[in-house]
Amino acid sequence: MSALSALEKTLENRWQALWARMFGRDPVELVDALRHECDSNAVVCRAGRVLVPNAYDVELAGPVHEELTRGGGRVGQLLTDRLARHAARHGYEWAGPLAVHVRRSAEVPNGRYRVASSVMPHVSADGFQRAAAPGRS
């Protein structure tokens, strides 16, 4: 393991410990779901350029939402930061400004969540798809 990888792993572990202290739970599963959503919707435009959606919605059951947002609006920013680091490690480019929105949903069973991504409305979905077309630079 290189020194940089060891440092990254140490920082990741400390981040998770901080999150657990702040919110009383480990966000690994939720962050992994965001990463998976990002990776699953990546569009390769050309060699070395990969576009990913820039808007992510996290729906939480009422009790989970209350627990995570009890300390204020920081949870969305914390998740945004984690996703931004993931994208930077993979060399992804956002389709626009990155945002992770966390909201309560009556449709999500307690203890569960739902993650979805999209291109923000002010960014043309057609432009996103055209950028992915072969031969475009």
Side-chain angles (χ1 to χ4, degrees):
M1 180 181 276
S2 73
L4 187 57
S5 294
L7 176 63
E8 183 176 316
K9 185 67 176 167
T10 299
L11 290 173
E12 187 80 15
N13 289 339
R14 293 197 186 250
W15 175 259
Q16 289 175 9
L18 174 63
W19 182 288
R21 269 187 270 135
M22 290 172 60
F23 299 111
R25 65 180 8 218
D26 191 356
V28 173
E29 189 176 340
L30 185 55
V31 172
D32 283 346
L34 280 167
R35 290 175 181 160
H36 178 73
E37 181 71 16
C38 179
D39 294 341
S40 296
N41 291 290
V43 177
V44 178
C45 298
R46 65 174 194 269
R49 185 164 186 226
V50 179
L51 287 177
V52 292
N54 60 319
Y56 293 80
D57 292 311
V58 177
E59 295 180 30
L60 302 170
V64 175
H65 182 270
E66 287 177 27
E67 181 182 334
L68 289 177
T69 58
R70 192 173 310 159
R74 298 178 300 202
V75 68
Q77 185 59 53
L78 292 171
L79 292 171
T80 301
D81 293 345
R82 293 289 293 270
L83 190 56
R85 283 199 305 252
H86 171 72
R89 281 194 299 266
H90 287 81
Y92 294 157
E93 294 180 37
W94 302 110
L98 174 61
V100 176
H101 301 102
V102 179
R103 66 177 180 217
R104 173 191 320 255
S105 174
E107 297 174 13
V108 177
N110 191 20
R112 300 301 308 154
Y113 55 85
R114 188 176 353 200
V115 175
S117 63
S118 62
V119 175
M120 281 189 180
H122 69 276
V123 178
S124 165
D126 291 336
F128 184 73
Q129 291 300 323
R130 274 196 306 270
R136 302 285 293 186
S137 52

